[in-house]
Amino acid sequence: MTTTTTNPKQRLALRGDLLDFTSMPGWAQLDSPAVRFQPDHWLLIEDGRIVGTQAAAPDASWDREDHSGKLILPGFIDTHVHCPQLDVIASYGTELLDWLNTYTFPAECRYADPAVARAGAERFVDALLAHGTTAAVVFPTVHKTSAEALFEAAAARGMRLVTGKVLMDRHAPDGLRDDVAGAERDCIDLIQRFHGRDRLAYAVTVRFAPTSTPEQLAMAGALCRADASLFMQTHVAENRSEVEWVARLFPDARSYLDVYAREGLLHPRAVLAHGIWLDEDDRRQLAASGAQVAFCPSSNLFLGSGLFDWPAARAAGFRVSAASDVGGGTSLSMQRNLLDGYKVQAMAGHRLSAWAALHAATRGAAEALGLGGEIGSFDAGRLADVCVWDWARGPVAEARHAVARELHEKVFAWMILSDERNLLASYVAGKPQFRRRPDR
Ligand SMILES: [Zn+2]
């Protein structure tokens, strides 16, 4: 018989009101079996992984953090957000195509400088963590150095991050265009260095159809076909002027979505932002491909882009996750975005439950990304990406919370009235990466 000596495991137990999902809740089902609420329970974390939950206090072999009376959720997953656009959030007065030219492209030009890219990436990932977002699918800029900076910043914090150098070889100003051969070389180098390292993954990142030539789209499709473990991210059918422009640029394509489909860019690891102006054939094609749409409600309202039809997506059977799309979006806070998501659905005559909304920002997003085995829930074996929230801050939210009786009523009021100021702590793989200052 042999004996092996192992290091003692790092054991951390968090006490609070645990809320997560075991599957996708029904669209308007308020009393859903998919909701797993464990009030005043302990979440047990060993060596960064969740090993279980229990009502009784664990023994003295566990480091204990008592957050009783607080809400504990899986960390949010933001499936569509732009790192360099923190600098242009809240810019006045334009729709998508003007907004890109007036605000966004000038801001992105600055990321050619590695020092700017590095500082911007650090600020960005720390901002995500300070908003309760522990994993993200991110656009940097066309510059290789901006993708490197994001990968390094996420790795330093142990975060799950999906990104890739933006592809754009036309219809963009000087300093923001690449070319097919150079872009392909950069992608291959970044894939070799970062894809699958730590918790990083590479996304073939087409900005949107108008800024890539057909040759560049073909190159992007070839990268995806060569390695099915790569993600793909882009924008689709956000704004009516954009849709008309794409129809003029690609007269042979059946639709905007078809521009991507025929190049092999629609697959189960594809994340398409917006998807507002789709038709039934597009929805069927999305469902058949396994690709997901990132619903970006605060951006869609702010830029006046349109109202995403979530029930039609459910009926067609494709996956929908929630996203901020900062800087078109107006906050990194997923609660703020889900509040806007509720309003967008209400404007179209639908009602978005807290369950459908929060699932799309946690387990639903994780599963749509093929990462359900790693993040998005408190199932045993998941990495402990976890956030602790105040149920209510300030007299109005506190009074509302005090009179709420049903679970959905409580959680819905939390989702509508809370934001990043409610966040107490964010843990990434069991390590605290954000804590609110005691005086806040
Ligand atoms: Zn976007």
Side-chain angles (χ1 to χ4, degrees):
M1 195 177 111
T2 55
T3 34
T4 50
T5 315
T6 52
N7 291 325
K9 288 183 187 298
Q10 284 200 321
R11 296 178 131 190
L12 173 66
L14 304 178
R15 181 185 189 179
D17 298 332
L18 310 182
L19 175 66
D20 73 331
F21 300 93
T22 56
S23 60
M24 187 193 286
W27 175 251
Q29 191 181 14
L30 302 192
D31 185 13
S32 169
V35 178
R36 180 163 52 189
F37 184 59
Q38 304 174 86
D40 197 16
H41 270 58
W42 293 85
L43 180 69
L44 306 178
I45 300 163
E46 253 182 11
D47 290 340
R49 275 186 199 280
I50 293 164
V51 293
T53 62
Q54 62 187 44
D59 66 39
S61 69
W62 294 80
D63 290 332
R64 283 174 276 190
E65 285 189 29
D66 191 341
H67 298 293
S68 47
K70 309 295 181 189
L71 175 63
I72 301 186
L73 289 172
F76 287 131
I77 301 160
D78 188 341
T79 56
H80 181 73
V81 58
H82 298 254
C83 167
Q85 293 181 13
L86 280 190
D87 295 344
V88 298
I89 191 170
S91 290
Y92 173 77
T94 52
E95 287 199 359
L96 172 67
L97 299 176
D98 284 348
W99 177 82
L100 285 172
N101 287 315
T102 308
Y103 300 115
T104 306
F105 286 159
E108 294 193 6
C109 282
R110 295 197 282 275
Y111 277 65
D113 178 346
V116 171
R118 204 174 313 119
E122 304 255 334
R123 187 161 43 103
F124 173 77
V125 295
D126 283 337
L128 290 180
L129 293 165
H131 285 74
T133 295
T134 50
V137 183
V138 186
F139 269 64
T141 64
V142 71
H143 314 102
K144 185 182 183 186
T145 190
S146 73
E148 292 168 328
L150 259 178
F151 278 130
E152 295 294 358
R157 292 154 183 80
M159 282 175 75
R160 162 54 70 180
L161 192 106
V162 179
T163 191
K165 175 209 121 56
V166 177
L167 299 170
M168 43 199 296
D169 64 348
R170 64 170 174 175
H171 299 140
D174 291 347
L176 277 189
R177 287 188 310 275
D178 54 13
D179 58 71
V180 176
E184 184 177 34
R185 268 198 310 277
D186 285 351
C187 288
I188 290 169
D189 179 60
L190 289 165
I191 291 164
Q192 286 173 347
R193 285 163 53 210
F194 295 105
H195 184 58
R197 186 190 122 191
D198 302 323
R199 299 179 70 189
L200 311 175
Y202 196 83
V204 174
T205 301
V206 175
R207 171 163 224 123
F208 68 151
T211 45
S212 284
T213 57
E215 294 72 28
Q216 188 170 59
L217 293 172
M219 182 274 283
L223 288 174
C224 289
R225 274 191 283 264
D227 182 351
S229 73
L230 293 174
F231 288 84
M232 194 289 293
Q233 61 177 339
T234 191
H235 299 85
V236 71
E238 176 176 1
N239 164 293
R240 275 177 287 197
S241 311
E242 171 213 17
V243 172
E244 286 162 15
W245 191 22
V246 171
R248 288 197 300 277
L249 290 170
F250 298 91
D252 300 339
R254 193 200 66 75
S255 69
Y256 189 161
L257 185 77
D258 187 48
V259 173
Y260 300 135
R262 61 192 192 162
E263 297 296 353
L265 292 165
L266 287 192
H267 52 72
R269 295 201 140 196
V271 183
L272 297 105
H274 309 300
I276 294 168
W277 305 100
L278 300 173
D279 62 21
E280 279 309 309
D281 287 344
D282 292 330
R283 292 192 184 93
R284 269 193 293 276
Q285 194 162 22
L286 274 169
S289 72
Q292 67 173 298
V293 164
F295 173 35
C296 308
S298 79
S299 170
N300 298 160
L301 292 172
F302 186 71
L303 295 177
S305 300
L307 306 176
F308 173 69
D309 192 339
W310 196 338
R314 281 236 182 181
F318 67 85
R319 292 174 183 273
V320 176
S321 53
S324 71
D325 192 28
V326 162
T330 50
S331 176
L332 290 175
S333 160
M334 290 310 288
Q335 295 101 301
R336 289 282 186 97
N337 280 281
L338 297 174
L339 159 65
D340 283 340
Y342 181 84
K343 294 175 185 172
V344 165
Q345 296 308 312
M347 282 300 294
H350 311 301
R351 288 294 179 269
L352 178 63
S353 71
W355 307 144
L358 291 169
H359 175 265
T362 55
R363 188 179 191 118
E367 289 179 348
L369 293 168
L371 298 172
E374 176 188 316
I375 52 176
S377 76
F378 296 147
D379 288 353
R382 304 301 173 273
L383 283 169
D385 291 358
V386 175
C387 292
V388 183
W389 301 90
D390 282 321
W391 273 106
R393 294 260 292 172
V396 173
E398 283 166 10
R400 182 67 185 90
H401 179 69
V403 298
R405 280 181 293 277
E406 300 299 322
L407 181 62
H408 184 268
E409 185 185 0
K410 265 190 219 304
V411 175
F412 184 75
W414 175 80
M415 182 178 94
I416 298 300
L417 298 175
S418 73
D419 59 27
E420 71 276 14
R421 287 167 291 190
N422 292 58
L423 183 65
L424 282 154
S426 299
Y427 300 81
V428 175
K431 288 204 180 79
Q433 293 288 351
F434 169 83
R435 280 193 199 277
R436 190 164 75 208
R437 282 171 30 192
D439 58 335
R440 295 268 173 96

